[in-house]
């Protein structure tokens, strides 16, 4: 038997449930050598071993808690980023972050101006008066004068056109009577086209004549310089052409109606105009009334 077995047996009564190998080897060596610290170590060892041996459940619980804490600590260490685990390796990254922060603070900031959203203006409901379009006033119908002096309506309308054109020129009443009497003799107050000039039939007309190239109310000839066919077929133009020629005759106001008309028309029957004087006068008075 070895000496350490004797020592183990000597203290076996103090830890009956424990094992001899639970005692640290350093303590055992100290006891064998008989050092001065042996009594105090034995006392401390007995105080430590006895409670633990008496409470095996507490020992197991303490061991489990320590193991759990160790696993949690290991997991926490694994979750940390590399720069936090290794201060030396993290130094460049920290320096770069610091430089970025300094640069961003040093740069001039562009103020952000919020563009206000225009408020939707309420749609004004159109007023009933605005939505209704004003009806255009109908043009007044020209006053239609009843025929007099044995004329029909077409003849009366042509006489009215002669008077209207003369009034635009501002000629006196006597010139209007001469013009109406001349048209009574030349065309019987109908707007004639010419069978010799087919072009004249392309314009509004009421009859067709064959007296050379004479056309219109006054039977004026384009070949004689009175104007273009399209113009002479217009009652207003034809009247103004006649009156312009009449006004150029010196003293026309003092001439007899037939002589004044003949001076303009140069007809083969110069006395024929006189027979229409009274009728022309009645028609002009009815139109001017």
């Amino acid at each position: 038997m070895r000496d350490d077995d004797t020592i183990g047996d000597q203290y076996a009564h103090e830890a009956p449930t424990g094992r001899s190998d639970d005692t640290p080897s350093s303590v055992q060596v100290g006891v064998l050598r008989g050092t001065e610290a042996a009594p105090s170590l034995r006392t401390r060892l007995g105080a430590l071993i006895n409670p633990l041996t008496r409470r095996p459940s507490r020992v197991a619980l303490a061991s489990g808690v320590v193991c759990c804490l160790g696993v949690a600590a290991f997991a926490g260490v694994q979750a940390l980023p590399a720069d936090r685990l290794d201060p030396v390796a993290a130094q460049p990254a920290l320096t770069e972050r610091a430089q970025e922060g300094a640069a961003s603070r040093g740069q001039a900031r562009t103020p952000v101006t919020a563009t206000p959203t225009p408020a939707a203006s309420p749609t004004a409901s159109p007023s009933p008066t605005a939505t209704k379009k004003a009806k255009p006033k109908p043009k007044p119908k020209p006053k239609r004068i009843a025929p007099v002096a044995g004329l029909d309506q077409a003849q009366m309308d042509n006489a009215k056109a002669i008077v209207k054109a003369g009034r635009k020129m501002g000629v006196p009443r006597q010139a209007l009577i001469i013009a109406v009497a001349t048209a009574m003799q030349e065309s019987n107050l109908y707007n004639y086209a010419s069978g010799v000039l087919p072009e004249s039939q392309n314009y509004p007309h009421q009859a067709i004549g064959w007296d050379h190239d004479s056309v219109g109310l006054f039977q004026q000839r384009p070949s004689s310089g009175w104007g273009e066919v399209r113009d002479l077929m217009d009652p207003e133009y034809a009247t103004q052409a006649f009156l312009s020629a009449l006004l150029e005759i010196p003293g026309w106001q003092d001439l007899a109606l037939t002589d004044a008309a003949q001076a303009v028309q140069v007809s083969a029957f110069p006395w024929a105009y006189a027979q229409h004087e009274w009728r022309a006068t009645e028609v002009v008075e009815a139109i001017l009334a």
Side-chain angles (χ1 to χ4, degrees):
M1 178 182 295
R2 294 183 302 174
D3 293 339
D4 53 356
D5 294 336
T6 305
I7 296 174
D9 295 337
Q10 183 180 355
Y11 293 97
H13 67 276
E14 296 181 5
T17 59
R19 295 174 55 189
S20 60
D21 56 0
D22 291 337
T23 305
S25 60
S26 60
V27 176
Q28 294 178 3
V29 172
V31 173
L32 293 175
R33 291 179 180 179
T35 58
E36 295 180 356
S40 61
L41 288 175
R42 286 195 300 268
T43 303
R44 292 178 183 178
L45 182 61
L48 177 63
I49 293 175
N50 289 338
L52 292 176
T53 56
R54 294 191 186 106
R55 296 177 179 86
S57 60
R58 292 184 181 180
V59 174
L61 177 61
S63 301
V65 170
V66 171
C67 292
C68 291
L69 292 177
V71 171
F74 178 76
V77 171
Q78 293 295 329
L80 290 175
D83 57 352
R84 296 187 62 181
L85 293 176
D86 190 355
V88 177
Q91 186 63 32
L94 295 176
T95 304
E96 183 178 355
R97 292 179 186 177
Q99 292 177 354
E100 290 179 357
S104 62
R105 286 191 297 272
Q107 293 176 354
R109 295 183 179 181
T110 303
V112 178
T113 304
T115 304
T117 303
S121 59
T123 304
S125 56
S127 59
T129 56
T131 55
K132 292 183 179 179
K133 293 184 179 180
K135 294 183 179 180
K137 294 182 179 179
K139 294 182 180 181
K141 294 182 180 180
K143 182 180 178 182
R144 197 163 194 179
I145 302 173
V148 295
L151 301 181
D152 60 23
Q153 192 63 58
Q155 292 171 311
M156 195 68 182
D157 291 342
N158 289 332
K160 181 182 176 182
I162 292 172
V163 173
K164 182 179 179 181
R167 295 189 68 180
K168 283 185 179 180
M169 296 176 64
V171 298
R173 176 175 174 272
Q174 181 62 21
L176 298 177
I177 294 174
I178 295 172
V180 171
T182 302
M184 285 179 174
Q185 175 60 34
E186 297 291 344
S187 64
N188 199 19
L189 280 176
Y190 290 118
N191 196 23
Y192 267 78
S194 174
V196 178
L197 296 174
E199 177 189 354
S200 63
Q201 300 176 28
N202 296 330
Y203 305 100
H205 59 277
Q206 297 161 325
I208 297 178
W210 299 89
D211 184 6
H212 304 287
D213 58 346
S214 301
V215 295
L217 291 175
F218 295 91
Q219 289 292 284
Q220 295 157 328
R221 300 177 64 179
S223 60
S224 299
W226 284 97
E228 300 292 333
V229 175
R230 64 175 179 272
D231 297 328
L232 297 176
M233 291 297 297
D234 179 17
E236 181 177 358
Y237 180 91
T239 300
Q240 291 177 351
F242 174 83
L243 291 176
S244 297
L246 177 64
L247 296 178
E248 292 179 359
I249 298 173
W252 66 269
Q253 302 91 331
D254 300 329
L255 296 176
L257 184 145
T258 188
D259 294 335
Q262 176 62 17
V264 176
Q265 295 296 106
V266 189
S267 173
F269 307 96
W271 61 87
Y273 303 104
Q275 59 180 333
H276 305 288
E277 185 172 357
W278 69 271
R279 297 173 64 221
T281 302
E282 183 179 356
V283 169
V284 171
E285 289 178 354
I287 295 172
L288 295 178

